[in-house]
Amino acid sequence: MSDVATRLDVLKTYKLYVGGKFPRSESGRVYEVTDSKGAWLANVPLGTRKDARDAVVAARKAVKGWAGTTAYNRGQVLYRVAEMLQGRREQFAAEVAVSEGIGPKKAAALVDAAIDRWVWYAGWTDKVAQIAGGANPVAGPFFNLSTPEPTGVVGIVAPQAGYGHSLLGLVSVIAPAIATGNTVVVAAAADAPLPALSLGEVLATSDVPGGVVNLVSGRTADIAPTLASHQDVNALDLTGAIATDGPGAAQALEAAAADTLKRVVRPELDPFAQDWTNAPGTDRLLSFLETKTVWHPMGI
């Protein structure tokens, strides 16, 4: 008999990330995630419409505190996310590699790009007001000042594996929304949710207040319509909609969002045209901002 006992691996239990906590799905159900060759990777929570509604409640509770945080402090928090993600670089590179069906070197490069993206958006938190606001000339003895404010709760359909990047694309849609003071509820990529659910663990240890980012895995067809029609969601990012359910899905979600006058960011008509490694620009930073204009009489 061998002196060395056979050891069983401790498999990771993936959970949702809602309100700063890690609940299982309300239904208690899971679904299998496989790699590009069909090999089993993990069981992940099968999020339901109820889970999406709970995430919206958590996001709404967090709006006042996060939007009221100074822009400089939000930048510090986002930079802390980059620090913590850097510390788990190898884990995320492995998850991205199996999720995207790519080699370890390319996966590591994508993780590095995701880390850099957090840093990039962290630097914009206290500068975006300078390009989105300003003093307006008026014919009268008044100051007229326009300043940007966050829209509120943003629902996001995350980029999907095979069309975008399961981590870099995810970071590229979450970071600009929260950098400007919004909170988010994210429908994670159904076919590649592991990097997203692991990102929740990073956020939980990165000074990001609970409820600012909420990550729900499951069928996009269940989660996305709930976000689109929910009256307490203020805006919608449909980046991953076409990739999941065909071109008709995005139009249906946009029509549902119109009933409550949500701002909507439409997906690319060709999902393959979205290259998340390109420089992000400021478009997404400005997508979920409202402009408040204040009139003030001039002093004598």
Side-chain angles (χ1 to χ4, degrees):
M1 180 181 293
S2 173
D3 294 333
V4 180
T6 300
R7 181 181 179 276
L8 297 177
D9 289 336
V10 179
L11 300 178
K12 181 173 180 178
T13 301
Y14 288 88
K15 296 182 181 179
L16 308 178
Y17 181 60
V18 176
K21 300 178 180 180
F22 297 95
R24 290 179 169 84
S25 171
E26 171 268 340
S27 68
R29 299 171 63 191
V30 299
Y31 71 100
E32 290 187 355
V33 175
T34 60
D35 63 16
S36 59
K37 298 180 180 178
W40 181 87
L41 294 175
N43 291 332
V44 301
L46 183 63
T48 64
R49 292 186 291 271
K50 176 64 164 56
D51 292 314
R53 292 194 297 269
D54 289 345
V56 172
V57 171
R60 175 55 60 190
K61 288 181 179 178
V63 166
K64 184 176 181 181
W66 184 242
T69 300
T70 65
Y72 176 75
N73 185 246
R74 283 200 300 271
Q76 291 179 310
V77 172
L78 264 66
Y79 188 82
R80 179 62 175 166
V81 176
E83 290 180 335
M84 299 302 291
L85 189 56
Q86 179 71 50
R88 297 175 63 168
R89 178 178 179 271
E90 291 185 4
Q91 174 202 339
F92 277 91
E95 289 185 341
V96 169
V98 295
S99 295
E100 299 285 348
I102 58 178
K105 288 186 178 180
K106 184 175 182 180
L110 292 175
V111 174
D112 288 342
I115 295 168
D116 293 345
R117 193 134 304 173
W118 279 114
V119 174
W120 194 83
Y121 280 116
W124 269 104
T125 55
D126 58 355
K127 301 173 182 66
V128 66
Q130 299 173 41
I131 63 171
N136 309 310
V138 295
F142 301 97
F143 292 112
N144 182 268
L145 305 174
S146 294
T147 57
E149 292 186 341
T151 298
V153 177
V154 179
I156 297 175
V157 181
Q160 308 295 309
Y163 294 94
H165 298 300
S166 55
L167 180 65
L168 178 56
L170 181 74
V171 168
S172 298
V173 294
I174 291 177
I178 67 172
T180 49
N182 298 288
T183 62
V184 299
V185 178
V186 183
D191 54 353
L194 303 189
L197 297 179
S198 291
L199 181 63
E201 299 170 7
V202 170
L203 297 171
T205 56
S206 303
D207 303 328
V208 178
V212 171
V213 178
N214 304 274
L215 298 159
V216 182
S217 59
R219 289 188 291 262
T220 308
D222 290 338
I223 301 168
T226 302
L227 299 179
S229 60
H230 201 298
Q231 294 188 6
D232 215 16
V233 174
N234 305 107
L236 201 61
D237 185 337
L238 297 178
T239 296
I242 286 181
T244 55
D245 302 303
Q251 285 90 331
L253 293 171
E254 189 171 353
D259 288 339
T260 49
L261 303 179
K262 290 179 177 61
R263 283 174 172 256
V264 174
V265 171
R266 294 173 171 172
E268 296 280 348
L269 292 177
D270 178 6
F272 291 100
Q274 188 79 43
D275 184 355
W276 296 107
T277 61
N278 289 335
T282 58
D283 288 350
R284 289 188 177 275
L285 280 168
L286 304 177
S287 294
F288 303 120
L289 288 173
E290 304 288 346
T291 300
K292 180 178 71 176
T293 300
V294 177
W295 295 71
H296 193 283
M298 291 182 179
I300 299 178

